[in-house]
Amino acid sequence: MEKFTDDDVIVCRCEDVTLGQIREVIRRGYTDPEEIKRITRAGMGPCQGKTCRDIIIREVARITGKRIDEIPVPTYRPPSKPIKVGLLAEESD
Amino acid sequence: MLPVSAEVVIIGGGVHGCSIAYHLASKGMHGVVVLEQKYLTYGGTGRSAAGIRQQFGTEINCRLAKENIKGFIRMKEELDTDFDLELEQGGYMWLAYTEGQLNQLRENVRLQSSLGIPSKILNPDEIKELIPLLDVEGVLGASWCAEDGHVNPHRVTFAYYEAAKRLGVKFYTYTKVVDIEIEKDKVKAVVTDKGKISTRKVVNAAGPWGKEIGKMVGLDIPVVSERHQIMVTEPVNRIIKPLILCQDDGSYWKQEPTGGFLIGMDNPNEKKGYDVGVTWQFMEEVSRRVLKKMPILRDVRVVRQWSGPYDITPDSQSIVGPVEEVEGFYLDVGWSGHGLQFAPSIGRIMSELIIGEEPFISVDVLSFNRFKTGKLIPEPACI
Ligand SMILES: Cc1cc2nc3c(=O)[nH]c(=O)nc-3n(C[C@H](O)[C@H](O)[C@H](O)COP(=O)(O)OP(=O)(O)OC[C@H]3O[C@@H](n4cnc5c(N)ncnc54)[C@H](O)[C@@H]3O)c2cc1C
Ligand code: FES
């Protein structure tokens, strides 16, 4: 039986992205979390990266040897909680 | 560290800058440098609705658009990329609600057909048959092209970038151009916040910021930056493939291959400037509009909202090619909200112009000079 490794860990549960996929794009030279997000979709899900953002930033720091505070943080894009189209429409009536 | 000199400096790491860089390098040009003030895809490229279409209303755009589709089809192989570019030819539909709109669509389709684009006019029954979930109340007809569709803008840009990098192009992000030095009406150097690069050729592919770059060489480029907002829902089962555009209220939407609905609208009162903020009012208004047409979306949840700048010109038409005033200064700006899809054809044409070859499609009508001669070519098919 094959063993699971760190690489199989799902970092972004909303978009189903593994740590292995994140490491792969970092190895390809993408060290800006915005670029990583745009390539892998990690951080674009319903939780808006609340769960995965910090893990990705830590991974970039680990691989590049940079300090966490040297790494740009991706923009947060409202709404803070998913909201139904129907509810939004009612509010403008 | 920036190089001290370069053959060509491309300003802007959007899809156009990256495509031009790739095409120049694939023609064997050395010393190509791309400068980006933030990260690649920071501008309009990373914020688009990702629609690709051949339904334009001017001959030049139709001819280029046919090449764009061909370009997207062969892109994966051409760029030798393992990125999933998500190319999907699911169709694109323009709904008309007045006789005037329908007549314009008829005129566009006549032009498109004469150039070999397989678009057609549909009546409301035919529309209903294609999109059963659509409420067609008030719809008089539509124009439709099944070959149009969707592509992933980020991955297309990064695929151009990786291919260009393999061919020797140097990219510098977080490097902002602050000035361009000119000597006797010729480009001499590009000045950035990280240092200076001597060069004889500069490409302005800075999208909405292209106006600011123009000022650096004393040109007044008639581009206005206007904010456009968009939102996306959680992924749901795939129920619809085409992009639907409603001409009564400017709303448009499509379901991406990954399942989320992208929803946007035209708003003539949107803020001008480079602001990429968002408003709550937009989400309410666009939800109201789209629900009238697609009631099935009522219980789908919106998860993200963002905005990006359109670089709008007086005739909603791009500005492409060299300028008479400054030797070595090239423009590729003013895409007026439909520029993503033109990266394949224009990247190639720009590289041909810079190298001094005959472009495979003449873009003389798109020159900066048209604002002096008054020969504007208004593009009627814009959102
Ligand atoms: C909401 C929205 C929906 C859209 N929908 C579609 C669509 O469905 N289909 C379509 O084809 N198009 C669409 N577009 C338009 C499309 O996104 C743009 O036309 C296209 O991405 C333009 O690419 P570009 O490379 O010319 O410019 P940009 O992507 O804007 O790139 C310009 C780059 O230049 C950089 N730059 C600026 N100034 C400087 C400087 N001084 N120094 C260094 N770098 C600098 C910027 O940071 C930016 O990254 C849409 C746009 C928006 C906003
Ligand atoms: S876990 Fe990544 S977006 Fe939610």
Side-chain angles (χ1 to χ4, degrees), chain B residues 11-18 35-53 92 175-178 205-210 212-213 216 226-230 243 252 254 306-311 332-342 383:
Chain B
I11 306 170
V15 70
H16 279 258
C18 293
L35 303 176
E36 165 56 48
Q37 61 177 351
K38 302 266 184 173
Y39 48 87
L40 300 179
T41 74
Y42 167 75
T45 297
R47 301 160 188 280
S48 90
I52 57 175
R53 59 178 158 108
Y92 204 112
T175 304
K176 183 173 180 172
V177 173
V178 292
W209 298 268
E212 311 303 323
I213 303 295
M216 297 175 190
E226 185 181 278
R227 178 174 75 179
H228 280 247
Q229 304 191 54
I230 195 161
L243 188 148
Y252 66 89
K254 79 170 186 202
W306 69 88
S307 76
Y310 270 26
D311 41 349
D332 175 8
V333 294
W335 283 99
S336 305
H338 50 255
L340 164 72
Q341 58 203 304
F342 284 90
I383 50 172

Side-chain angles (χ1 to χ4, degrees), chain B residues 58-350:
Chain B
T58 50
E59 178 172 344
I60 182 70
N61 282 344
C62 289
R63 294 183 59 201
L64 293 169
K66 276 178 69 176
E67 296 300 325
N68 292 333
I69 297 278
K70 284 191 216 156
F72 285 119
I73 291 173
R74 60 163 191 265
M75 186 170 287
K76 209 169 149 59
E77 201 176 326
E78 179 182 351
L79 300 182
D80 190 19
T81 179
D82 58 357
F83 286 140
D84 176 3
L85 304 177
E86 286 178 10
L87 172 64
E88 182 176 87
Q89 292 179 278
Y92 204 112
M93 189 182 277
W94 294 68
L95 295 172
Y97 290 81
T98 66
E99 276 303 331
Q101 289 166 357
L102 190 56
N103 282 336
Q104 179 67 56
L105 292 182
R106 283 198 187 105
E107 214 173 291
N108 297 352
V109 166
R110 251 196 307 276
L111 172 70
Q112 291 152 13
S113 307
S114 75
L115 296 165
I117 293 168
S119 55
K120 56 183 177 187
I121 295 289
L122 304 178
N123 66 36
D125 288 339
E126 292 167 321
I127 296 168
K128 197 77 196 165
E129 203 172 304
L130 261 172
I131 327 269
L133 294 166
L134 181 72
D135 186 335
V136 292
E137 197 188 324
V139 174
L140 301 183
S143 85
W144 163 254
C145 179
E147 279 186 1
D148 296 353
H150 164 95
V151 76
N152 183 313
H154 317 291
R155 298 212 187 119
V156 164
T157 310
F158 290 114
Y160 274 129
Y161 154 72
E162 290 193 350
K165 209 167 62 162
R166 282 197 300 272
L167 293 166
V169 176
K170 297 271 184 282
F171 289 79
Y172 298 89
T173 54
Y174 294 96
T175 304
K176 183 173 180 172
V177 173
V178 292
D179 198 11
I180 296 171
E181 289 180 5
I182 305 270
E183 197 177 61
K184 297 201 186 100
D185 299 329
K186 287 184 187 153
V187 168
K188 189 169 158 243
V190 173
V191 186
T192 79
D193 55 358
K194 303 266 169 72
K196 184 157 117 177
I197 307 176
S198 301
T199 185
R200 287 167 180 278
K201 288 179 174 171
V202 172
V203 180
N204 177 358
W209 298 268
K211 189 178 185 73
E212 311 303 323
I213 303 295
K215 285 183 196 158
M216 297 175 190
V217 297
L219 291 183
D220 182 14
I221 304 174
V223 166
V224 176
S225 183
E226 185 181 278
R227 178 174 75 179
H228 280 247
Q229 304 191 54
I230 195 161
M231 67 185 193
V232 67
T233 72
E234 60 191 339
V236 289
N237 283 346
R238 208 67 200 286
I239 52 173
I240 181 173
K241 280 191 178 169
L243 188 148
I244 312 281
L245 169 65
C246 305
Q247 290 186 290
D248 58 339
D249 59 12
S251 62
Y252 66 89
W253 68 89
K254 79 170 186 202
Q255 190 175 19
E256 294 192 288
T258 40
F261 275 85
L262 267 181
I263 305 172
M265 70 176 185
D266 190 34
N267 175 5
N269 301 319
E270 252 305 2
K271 264 172 75 175
K272 307 291 182 274
Y274 306 111
D275 179 3
V276 287
V278 293
T279 65
W280 189 257
Q281 288 90 321
F282 162 80
M283 287 209 290
E284 293 178 351
E285 184 57 33
V286 80
S287 297
R288 201 173 55 73
R289 293 184 187 182
V290 79
L291 272 191
K292 270 200 213 143
K293 280 124 185 186
M294 282 286 283
I296 194 168
L297 293 181
R298 180 164 298 278
D299 290 326
V300 181
R301 290 180 181 80
V302 176
V303 295
R304 292 193 301 138
Q305 175 193 21
W306 69 88
S307 76
Y310 270 26
D311 41 349
I312 302 182
T313 63
D315 50 3
S316 303
Q317 198 73 262
S318 62
I319 314 173
V320 177
V323 299
E324 284 174 349
E325 292 81 351
V326 186
E327 196 180 314
F329 189 73
Y330 296 82
L331 293 172
D332 175 8
V333 294
W335 283 99
S336 305
H338 50 255
L340 164 72
Q341 58 203 304
F342 284 90
S345 62
I346 291 295
R348 175 169 165 197
I349 289 169
M350 286 294 291

